[in-house]
Amino acid sequence: MAFPVRRFFVVAVAMLYIYLGVCKVSPILNKDLHKEFQSSFVGHAKVFPGRFNVQLDPELYRVIFGVTEVVCGMLIIMGESIWAVYAVYILIATQTFISLSLYAQGENTRCIPSLVALSLVTSLTGGVVSHYKIE
């Protein structure tokens, strides 16, 4: 592999998203973080779907986001395919949504870790997307 340091960074960030996704779905790895996500997604479920008069269960919302993060993290780790590129863009979209949702709730200080995660995943675009050249 030509760039082992870049690959290490890509795998490390993908593992972070797998960890956070598992913590969103179940309290197996970290019970305190799971409780934090449970309370956080109650607010997330009110912000976005509430603007369109759609009621979503916060538990379902949290599980969908958690499973999405786990699947995208696995796709990024598994290799250099176009699916890894799609996974990075999906993670960018989810992190942007969470950042905007926290900001809309007035949680400006809780928005900072989400923005750091967003910057990490956008830096993945250089590590994953660089394998594909548009000709």
Side-chain angles (χ1 to χ4, degrees), residues 108-119:
N108 295 337
T109 56
R110 288 181 60 197
C111 189
I112 294 171
S114 183
L115 290 173
V116 170
L118 178 62
S119 67

Side-chain angles (χ1 to χ4, degrees), residues 1-62:
M1 178 159 258
F3 300 100
V5 175
R6 183 175 63 185
R7 183 66 184 157
F8 174 75
F9 177 72
V10 167
V11 169
V13 173
M15 292 286 287
L16 172 73
Y17 275 98
I18 291 172
Y19 175 75
L20 291 175
V22 169
C23 287
K24 284 178 185 168
V25 174
S26 71
I28 292 173
L29 298 177
N30 192 338
K31 291 179 182 164
D32 295 330
L33 189 59
H34 180 72
K35 288 180 184 178
E36 177 69 27
F37 284 137
Q38 281 181 330
S39 65
S40 176
F41 271 87
V42 170
H44 293 318
K46 291 178 184 175
V47 170
F48 177 67
R51 293 185 187 239
F52 301 112
N53 294 327
V54 176
Q55 296 295 328
L56 284 179
D57 183 29
E59 296 293 317
L60 176 66
Y61 213 46
R62 181 179 46 84

Side-chain angles (χ1 to χ4, degrees), residues 67-86:
V67 169
T68 301
E69 287 181 356
V70 169
V71 169
C72 289
M74 298 279 272
L75 285 172
I76 292 170
I77 287 177
M78 284 188 345
E80 302 157 356
S81 69
I82 195 68
W83 291 105
V85 176
Y86 295 152

Side-chain angles (χ1 to χ4, degrees), residues 113-132:
S114 183
L115 290 173
V116 170
L118 178 62
S119 67
L120 283 175
V121 77
T122 52
S123 65
L124 282 181
T125 58
V128 176
V129 179
S130 65
H131 294 289
Y132 301 97

Side-chain angles (χ1 to χ4, degrees), residues 92-109:
I92 288 173
T94 58
Q95 284 302 315
T96 302
F97 168 75
I98 289 175
S99 298
L100 291 174
S101 177
L102 285 170
Y103 184 73
Q105 293 174 40
E107 301 281 344
N108 295 337
T109 56

